[in-house]
Amino acid sequence: MGEKKLRKMIEAKRPDAIINVFPFGAAPEIAHESDILSFTVLTDYALHARWVHPGTDKYFVATPVLNCWRSLRSFGGN
């Protein structure tokens, strides 16, 4: 789904939160701009930049090590 279509759908539905399970940067950005909570579930066992976005409010990770790695790399969110 492209950013325009996603933005239109989010604006129409006005959800309380958006839960990302795929590293697509537009969803947290749109949520942040619209004052909607944005959560990301990291399904990989290695962290890469595509998963993180400053507009994400909270991350859910598979292992404590991955959470520590995310914290050490100073990415946004919790």
Side-chain angles (χ1 to χ4, degrees):
M1 178 180 310
E3 182 178 348
K4 282 179 139 179
K5 188 173 182 179
L6 181 62
R7 185 178 297 277
K8 187 175 180 179
M9 185 178 74
I10 290 171
E11 289 172 356
K13 300 284 185 184
R14 293 294 304 162
D16 294 327
I18 296 171
I19 301 171
N20 301 295
V21 294
F22 186 77
F24 181 60
E29 182 177 318
I30 295 167
H32 183 71
E33 292 171 359
S34 304
D35 290 326
I36 298 170
L37 292 172
S38 175
F39 305 120
T40 296
V41 178
L42 278 78
T43 57
D44 289 350
Y45 287 95
L47 182 64
H48 50 84
R50 290 188 319 180
W51 280 107
V52 295
H53 189 280
T56 299
D57 294 295
K58 186 159 187 88
Y59 294 93
F60 296 90
V61 297
T63 68
V65 172
L66 186 58
N67 189 46
C68 184
W69 186 18
R70 183 196 56 80
S71 296
L72 289 173
R73 294 194 52 187
S74 299
F75 289 118
N78 297 310

